[in-house]
Amino acid sequence: MAVPTEIITDILGQFESKFAEIVRQRGILREQIIAATEHLPDEKKEQIKESLGDFGTEDDSKERIERFVTHRMNLFLANMTTFLCGGDERVHDCLWRIGEEPLKRIEDGLYAKGEEELCTSLNEFIFVFDDIVSLDDRAIQTILREVDIKQLEKALLLSPEKVRQKIYGNVSNRVAATIKENLSYMDNVPRRECFAARRGIINTISRLAEEGTITMPRFEIMPGFYELDGADFDYGY
């Protein structure tokens, strides 16, 4: 399915207007700096102009915009797997419901079509952070010994109460109280940091599973999973 033209046009329009404003402001700032040096000796003015370089000129603006857009596009492409299915509970639920053999056929079909990246993305999001409630207490305690408490707190900010309670039940009362108190003061933590923390813990879980240290359920319905309040459940990693 092609991305609707109006969406692309709207996004590009927002970028265009924002960049135009930035270019205008940089040009004004250049003019003000040069004007402020008029009373200075010629040698000093030349030094300032040399330091200023092409800041605020058309060439400078074009170069910086190109560099900025390239950088942002690289970040966007690097996070496409998150956009693909990491934030969509429909994909997550289907992968949990579908079972081992059907999923194997899906994977084989994707590989046959040369869609290795898509196949990898699906596998990455079969198990998301809040699925930790499906693990037994021993596995959770093993994971928590490998996780920094600050990272855990950021991850829990996006989790429903049921997931938090599962964590509280696998740490000491003192640690649980500390986490609860800290969470009450963390309203301003950027969501990207929370997602990064969740991704880091998932990486730890995957490593421990690969090492055979824990057993991670992959294709089964988690007890009580579908009782979670969908309005509060965040499927982002």
mmCIF file of all heavy atoms in Angstrom, residues 24 155 210 225:
data_model
loop_
_atom_site.group_PDB
_atom_site.id
_atom_site.type_symbol
_atom_site.label_atom_id
_atom_site.label_comp_id
_atom_site.label_asym_id
_atom_site.label_seq_id
_atom_site.Cartn_x
_atom_site.Cartn_y
_atom_site.Cartn_z
ATOM 1 N N ARG A 24 15.478 32.225 7.543
ATOM 2 C CA ARG A 24 15.210 33.650 7.734
ATOM 3 C C ARG A 24 15.875 34.164 9.001
ATOM 4 O O ARG A 24 16.528 35.223 8.995
ATOM 5 C CB ARG A 24 13.694 33.886 7.804
ATOM 6 C CG ARG A 24 13.287 35.363 7.879
ATOM 7 C CD ARG A 24 11.799 35.511 8.138
ATOM 8 N NE ARG A 24 11.449 35.073 9.485
ATOM 9 C CZ ARG A 24 11.604 35.842 10.574
ATOM 10 N NH1 ARG A 24 12.093 37.067 10.462
ATOM 11 N NH2 ARG A 24 11.263 35.392 11.761
ATOM 12 N N ALA A 155 11.448 1.811 31.970
ATOM 13 C CA ALA A 155 10.654 0.834 31.230
ATOM 14 C C ALA A 155 9.256 0.708 31.812
ATOM 15 O O ALA A 155 8.260 0.596 31.085
ATOM 16 C CB ALA A 155 11.358 -0.522 31.233
ATOM 17 N N GLU A 210 18.855 -17.172 25.036
ATOM 18 C CA GLU A 210 19.795 -17.840 24.135
ATOM 19 C C GLU A 210 20.849 -18.634 24.905
ATOM 20 O O GLU A 210 21.294 -19.694 24.459
ATOM 21 C CB GLU A 210 20.473 -16.801 23.236
ATOM 22 C CG GLU A 210 19.544 -16.187 22.202
ATOM 23 C CD GLU A 210 20.211 -15.080 21.422
ATOM 24 O OE1 GLU A 210 21.424 -14.838 21.660
ATOM 25 O OE2 GLU A 210 19.545 -14.455 20.581
ATOM 26 N N PHE A 225 -3.454 -12.442 30.023
ATOM 27 C CA PHE A 225 -2.902 -11.409 29.144
ATOM 28 C C PHE A 225 -4.004 -10.542 28.536
ATOM 29 O O PHE A 225 -3.919 -9.331 28.508
ATOM 30 C CB PHE A 225 -2.098 -12.077 28.027
ATOM 31 C CG PHE A 225 -1.577 -11.106 27.004
ATOM 32 C CD1 PHE A 225 -0.442 -10.357 27.265
ATOM 33 C CD2 PHE A 225 -2.230 -10.915 25.800
ATOM 34 C CE1 PHE A 225 0.037 -9.463 26.328
ATOM 35 C CE2 PHE A 225 -1.760 -10.021 24.874
ATOM 36 C CZ PHE A 225 -0.625 -9.292 25.132
#
